[in-house]
Amino acid sequence: MDKPKLLSVIIPFFNEQAVIAECHKRIQQTLDKLDMETEILYVNDGSIDNSLSILVDLITHDPRIKIIDLSRNFGKEIAMTAGLDKAIGDAVIVIDADLQDPPELMIDMVAAWHEGFDVVYAKRTERKGESFAKKATAKLFYKIINKISDCNIPENVGDFRLMSRQAVDALNQVRERKRFMKGLFAWIGFPQKAIEYSRDPRFAGETNWNYRKLTTFAIEGISAFTQEPLRLATYAGFITALTAFILGAYFLVKTLIFGEVVQGFTTLITVILFFSGVQLLSIGILGEYIGHMFIESKQRPLYFIKQTYSAQNDT
Ligand code: UDP
Ligand code: MG
């Protein structure tokens, strides 16, 4: 008979003391129903509350727990990457600590993996507890990025997903520093399947996201995945230059025929403002891409691990 397969569950967390114990309970209960060996890999993304000590205490009750303690807060994308690097499972599941991703769905994910899918992602049918504005901006973001980039990022899909060893190995080869995970998950390809669920509001605690962070996320996502904005700047330059040429010719002929008239302040100021706007925008777009090159060219490691904890040894 085959050796039982190993499932790794990765849970990145940042200041989740209010939910982490409940989260572990739910995950544990679900895993008990699965006929698989499991490792539960928590990644502490620089929490400054008691979440880490709560988990360290839990190790004595559940030896499946392993904890990676990062040296500071690197952001969820990097924390997730640290988990993916260390996970040794034949299949790996990434799940949030705030119980917005129902752990029970892991059973369906594993079933789909047995059917042969390499990536099984959870797709939200509704977003409870989120404002209309957040839903609308999210929708717009996916529309734009899918239109202008060559990979197809499914809408209403978070990071909650199962990946086969093959998919994880592929993803781990992508070492870019600015990690737009939603894009990378789609970019690696492999047979993918969606499982629908309705997303609950946070169990407790606060989301660490705000609009400034979401905007940065959107801009980084788009600039990491497509050069289309650069092309847009080129088109804008081309169109404005053409317009300027036509307008220039018009004013030249007009002056030659009707003589010098000191008028047209409105035209002048409008044209100046318009061109400055287009120029600044284009410089900004260039800046985004230079920013990416700057970050990547430094070749820094993605994260540092301060300590790892597990039942066998505390190192
Ligand atoms: N998280 C993290 N590092 C961060 C921010 C968040 O590891 O810098 C974790 C957080 O603890 C949670 C998950 O990422 O387990 C999702 O975070 P959150 O609920 O704030 O995001 P949202 O659900 O609003 O997308
Ligand atoms: Mg959340």
Side-chain angles (χ1 to χ4, degrees):
M1 212 185 102
D2 281 355
K3 193 161 112 314
K5 300 268 188 192
L6 178 69
L7 175 70
S8 307
V9 180
I10 300 173
I11 308 117
F13 67 96
F14 173 57
N15 295 346
E16 300 283 8
Q17 62 179 7
V19 295
I20 203 85
E22 175 70 18
C23 165
H24 184 70
K25 209 174 94 195
R26 293 260 300 272
I27 290 176
Q28 204 177 23
Q29 284 167 354
T30 311
L31 292 181
D32 287 342
K33 289 183 201 145
L34 280 170
D35 188 22
M36 285 180 91
E37 297 270 328
T38 44
E39 62 165 357
I40 311 177
L41 206 56
Y42 286 94
V43 185
N44 178 27
D45 191 15
S47 300
I48 45 168
D49 64 357
N50 291 322
S51 344
L52 180 63
S53 57
I54 295 174
L55 279 176
V56 173
D57 289 344
L58 278 176
I59 294 184
T60 44
H61 303 287
D62 190 345
R64 293 175 294 189
I65 299 181
K66 292 177 186 165
I67 307 170
I68 300 171
D69 187 16
L70 298 183
S71 61
R72 65 169 171 87
N73 177 255
F74 284 92
K76 184 190 176 187
E77 321 264 300
I78 297 283
M80 217 155 44
T81 306
L84 288 169
D85 285 343
K86 296 292 170 226
I88 51 170
D90 301 297
V92 178
I93 291 180
V94 182
I95 183 169
D96 281 2
D98 59 4
L99 288 173
Q100 274 189 291
D101 305 332
E104 294 71 29
L105 218 61
M106 296 195 293
I107 295 182
D108 299 337
M109 288 179 163
V110 170
W113 171 60
H114 283 308
E115 279 169 33
F117 289 98
D118 283 283
V119 179
V120 187
Y121 55 81
K123 189 173 167 71
R124 317 185 269 269
T125 47
E126 54 184 313
R127 298 163 71 128
K128 290 185 210 155
E130 285 183 2
S131 67
F132 172 77
K134 190 170 176 190
K135 285 186 227 173
T137 39
K139 205 173 176 70
L140 183 72
F141 169 71
Y142 287 107
K143 257 215 154 76
I144 295 177
I145 193 158
N146 282 333
K147 188 128 204 152
I148 64 182
S149 74
D150 61 356
C151 63
N152 194 7
I153 303 170
E155 211 178 306
N156 285 336
V157 170
D159 298 320
F160 183 26
R161 66 188 57 223
L162 176 147
M163 279 176 286
S164 68
R165 176 48 42 199
Q166 207 184 4
V168 173
D169 286 343
L171 193 63
N172 285 348
Q173 285 178 45
V174 182
R175 299 313 283 179
E176 55 196 61
R177 271 93 198 143
K178 287 280 172 198
R179 302 181 76 72
F180 178 59
M181 294 307 266
K182 285 185 207 310
L184 295 181
F185 285 141
W187 183 82
I188 57 166
F190 295 106
Q192 309 212 348
K193 182 182 178 178
I195 292 185
E196 301 214 327
Y197 77 110
S198 106
R199 185 160 165 96
D200 293 324
R202 262 181 164 273
F203 180 75
E206 290 262 305
T207 175
N208 299 299
W209 287 97
N210 55 36
Y211 267 99
R212 195 176 57 80
K213 278 197 193 167
L214 283 174
T215 313
T216 312
F217 178 75
I219 292 178
E220 274 179 359
I222 290 175
S223 54
F225 265 81
T226 159
Q227 311 177 7
E228 209 55 36
L230 284 172
R231 209 159 293 145
L232 202 75
T234 312
Y235 289 148
F238 182 73
I239 292 168
T240 47
L242 194 74
T243 321
F245 180 77
I246 295 169
L247 269 181
Y250 166 74
F251 283 117
L252 188 72
V253 171
K254 200 171 139 196
T255 313
L256 286 178
I257 296 175
F258 298 106
E260 188 80 29
V261 272
V262 185
Q263 255 183 354
F265 173 74
T266 318
T267 320
L268 202 64
I269 197 74
T270 315
V271 167
I272 289 177
L273 287 177
F274 178 69
F275 282 124
S276 341
V278 171
Q279 278 174 15
L280 283 178
L281 181 73
S282 309
I283 293 173
I285 293 173
L286 270 180
E288 282 301 321
Y289 289 90
I290 293 175
H292 277 296
M293 287 159 64
F294 169 67
I295 297 291
E296 296 303 329
S297 65
K298 286 192 286 193
Q299 297 276 317
R300 284 190 185 160
L302 294 177
Y303 56 85
F304 291 111
I305 294 174
K306 189 165 126 205
Q307 201 175 347
T308 58
Y309 304 82
S310 68
Q312 285 82 35
N313 60 315
D314 285 10
T315 51

